[in-house]
């Protein structure tokens, strides 16, 4: 039976900022739905998270999924060959970075529609810039989930693509943050809260076998 629970994370608690989500096993049922603070009609974004996983080898892993009724508006992956990528309603942009592993990694993905500039930050270090989907707009009206890749609107999950491991500190802005701000975030310094997703106040709905672990900072 699928277990559902709604978690309200207090925006004023420093302890809850350390709350993480643990996905213990590969499944086609476990995921967490995130409720945004504003509609995801985006011409730019910075998306950050802290991730740890023991999955290795030729196994793709979904890290973040935003889908409307008919499109994968924004999906973030670790690909079969270990590269990181994100997709905006079509083909992806790929980045060769240090591979994810069991030790926590801080990731940030940035993109700006006006220039097409896209980049990845791994533990505060920036990749080269690539040009991707210049002029594109991410559309609102969908669902954001962690743990699964929906091939239909909140459905048609495949266990072999599911996330297994620990993920937390998921924040999103509708602008591209400066390199120095992203470095400060990696180093644990206080930065402006995400105005699309703020991990300290975002409403989460868990489904299936997901364990919420509270870490004191």
């Amino acid at each position: 039976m699928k277990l559902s629970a709604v978690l309200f994370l207090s925006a004023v608690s420093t302890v809850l900022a350390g709350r993480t989500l643990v996905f213990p096993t590969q499944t086609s049922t476990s995921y967490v739905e995130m409720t945004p603070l504003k509609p995801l009609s985006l011409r730019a974004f910075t998306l950050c998270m802290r991730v740890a996983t023991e999955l290795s080898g030729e196994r793709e892993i979904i890290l973040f999924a935003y889908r409307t009724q008919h499109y994968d508006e924004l999906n973030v992956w670790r690909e079969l060959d270990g590269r990181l990528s994100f997709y905006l309603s079509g083909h992806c942009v790929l980045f060769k970075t240090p591979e994810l592993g069991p030790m926590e990694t801080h990731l940030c993905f940035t993109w700006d529609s006006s220039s097409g500039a896209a980049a990845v930050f791994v533990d505060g270090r920036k990749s080269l810039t690539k040009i991707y989907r210049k002029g594109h707009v991410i559309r609102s009206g969908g669902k954001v989930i962690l743990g699964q890749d929906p091939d239909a609107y909140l459905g048609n999950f495949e266990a072999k693509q599911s996330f297994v491991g620990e993920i937390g500190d998921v924040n999103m802005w509708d602008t591209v943050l400066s390199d120095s701000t992203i470095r400060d975030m990696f180093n644990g310094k206080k930065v402006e809260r995400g105005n699309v997703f703020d991990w300290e106040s975002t409403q989460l709905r868990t489904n299936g076998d997901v364990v919420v672990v509270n870490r004191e900072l």
Side-chain angles (χ1 to χ4, degrees):
M1 181 179 293
K2 186 176 293 184
L3 173 66
S4 296
V6 178
L7 305 173
F8 296 93
L9 305 186
S10 170
V12 298
S13 172
T14 58
V15 172
L16 291 185
R19 184 167 289 193
T20 62
L21 306 171
V22 178
F23 297 80
T25 59
Q26 175 174 293
T27 77
S28 61
T29 57
S30 299
Y31 67 93
V32 176
E33 183 180 343
M34 302 179 66
T35 301
L37 300 174
K38 61 189 300 185
L40 273 75
S41 179
L42 305 175
R43 297 180 180 272
F45 69 81
T46 300
L47 172 65
C48 298
M49 63 190 74
R50 296 184 188 271
V51 176
T53 181
E54 291 185 343
L55 292 175
S56 60
E58 293 189 355
R59 165 66 153 82
E60 56 188 356
I61 309 172
I62 187 70
L63 299 176
F64 179 95
Y66 170 51
R67 182 181 175 88
T68 55
Q69 285 286 354
H70 303 292
Y71 297 99
D72 292 326
E73 290 289 337
L74 170 58
N75 279 13
V76 179
W77 290 89
R78 190 201 74 177
E79 300 286 346
L80 290 172
D81 60 6
R83 288 184 292 177
L84 296 176
S85 67
F86 63 85
Y87 293 70
L88 298 178
S89 303
H91 297 294
C92 67
V93 58
L94 292 156
F95 298 90
K96 189 173 183 179
T97 64
E99 291 197 21
L100 300 181
M103 305 304 290
E104 185 179 83
T105 301
H106 184 253
L107 299 176
C108 288
F109 301 83
T110 65
W111 172 77
D112 176 41
S113 176
S114 62
S115 64
V120 173
F121 291 74
V122 178
D123 288 342
R125 299 180 62 189
K126 179 181 173 295
S127 71
L128 78 168
T129 298
K130 297 191 175 184
I131 304 303
Y132 174 63
R133 299 305 303 267
K134 184 176 180 179
H136 180 72
V137 178
I138 299 173
R139 291 163 287 199
S140 62
K143 296 282 188 181
V144 172
I145 65 172
L146 305 175
Q148 299 288 343
D149 170 39
D151 291 327
Y153 192 62
L154 208 58
N156 288 2
F157 303 138
E158 295 183 34
K160 64 182 180 180
Q161 295 178 327
S162 64
F163 178 80
V164 181
E166 182 176 338
I167 187 167
D169 205 15
V170 181
N171 294 280
M172 190 176 194
W173 297 258
D174 60 2
T175 60
V176 174
L177 299 184
S178 69
D179 294 9
S180 61
T181 298
I182 291 174
R183 286 194 298 270
D184 285 346
M185 196 186 321
F186 162 64
N187 289 319
K189 297 180 181 179
K190 285 290 187 180
V191 302
E192 61 176 305
R193 294 179 177 179
N195 64 346
V196 180
F197 289 108
D198 169 13
W199 191 245
E200 295 187 22
S201 61
T202 293
Q203 177 184 325
L204 305 176
R205 182 182 297 274
T206 66
N207 296 265
D209 186 16
V210 184
V211 180
V212 182
V213 177
N214 187 44
R215 300 187 312 178
E216 289 195 33
L217 300 181

